[in-house]
Amino acid sequence: MRITRFDGQYEDPSPPTSQDALDLICVDDDDDIRFITRQALNLDANIAIECVSSGRDVLQLLNRRATLPDCLIVDSRMPMMSGEMLMLAVRSDERFKDIKLIVMSANVHRDDLNRYFALGAAGVVGKPFNAMTLASQVREILSSTIARHGNDWRRTA
């Protein structure tokens, strides 16, 4: 399959390999952010992305899926169940302990970052984000987390 990049150049993406393939779920209450996130991550042919609009929806989806995703990309501020509440729910369920969490937030001050990491975040993507580099940013967070923590990538408080 030949694709045209935004700069007008052509490329033939390599086929997905099990080593490079990522299965992600994005949870954000904003329709536009979900759309942009999906489009941005779809620029990487080796990323499968599913998007939902609430913490409740993602928990239901996790319970229905035959396989768990590699990572949840979680909006920090959502109505009903905040991103932080969702992270607590995911981390408190033994079935979901291996799912990596990336927070997407406009709140990226030191106190916010410390709170996200204390809740088990592998990394943080600041809003607004660059759609052209989001996939590589997500991959970098996930690969640096594994490099820092080995197979046990989860942070401990």
Side-chain angles (χ1 to χ4, degrees):
M1 173 172 132
R2 190 169 164 186
I3 62 170
T4 304
R5 299 185 324 203
F6 286 100
D7 61 5
Q9 299 297 312
Y10 296 101
E11 66 181 48
D12 293 316
S14 57
T17 64
S18 60
Q19 182 180 17
D20 294 330
L22 285 177
D23 180 14
L24 309 176
I25 298 175
C26 171
V27 55
D28 198 302
D29 61 307
D30 187 298
D31 294 338
D32 294 331
I33 297 295
R34 285 193 316 274
F35 176 80
I36 293 167
T37 300
R38 179 188 309 276
Q39 296 300 102
L41 292 173
N42 278 332
L43 293 174
D44 184 323
N46 294 327
I47 291 179
I49 179 73
E50 191 166 353
C51 295
V52 296
S53 61
S54 72
R56 184 195 65 198
D57 290 345
V58 78
L59 290 174
Q60 290 174 350
L61 179 61
L62 290 174
N63 284 310
R64 284 194 320 260
R65 285 183 66 157
T67 60
L68 294 177
D70 297 304
C71 178
L72 297 180
I73 299 174
V74 179
D75 178 19
S76 64
R77 294 196 177 199
M78 296 182 288
M80 307 294 274
M81 177 184 273
S82 70
E84 293 178 24
M85 290 171 58
L86 173 60
M87 292 171 68
L88 283 170
V90 168
R91 286 292 166 252
S92 67
D93 191 321
E94 186 64 24
R95 297 172 298 164
F96 306 143
K97 68 180 173 64
D98 291 329
I99 301 173
K100 296 166 192 70
L101 301 170
I102 295 177
V103 175
M104 194 177 281
S105 180
N107 303 310
V108 292
H109 300 289
R110 177 173 285 141
D111 290 342
D112 300 312
L113 296 175
N114 289 336
R115 194 171 56 255
Y116 303 145
F117 289 127
L119 291 168
V124 178
V125 172
K127 285 183 181 178
F129 57 87
N130 180 338
M132 297 305 297
T133 61
L134 181 61
S136 61
Q137 189 175 3
V138 166
R139 283 190 177 281
E140 175 62 29
I141 289 169
L142 296 178
S143 66
S144 66
T145 300
I146 291 168
R148 279 195 312 270
H149 302 285
N151 288 336
D152 186 14
W153 53 266
R154 287 167 274 131
R155 293 181 179 265
T156 55

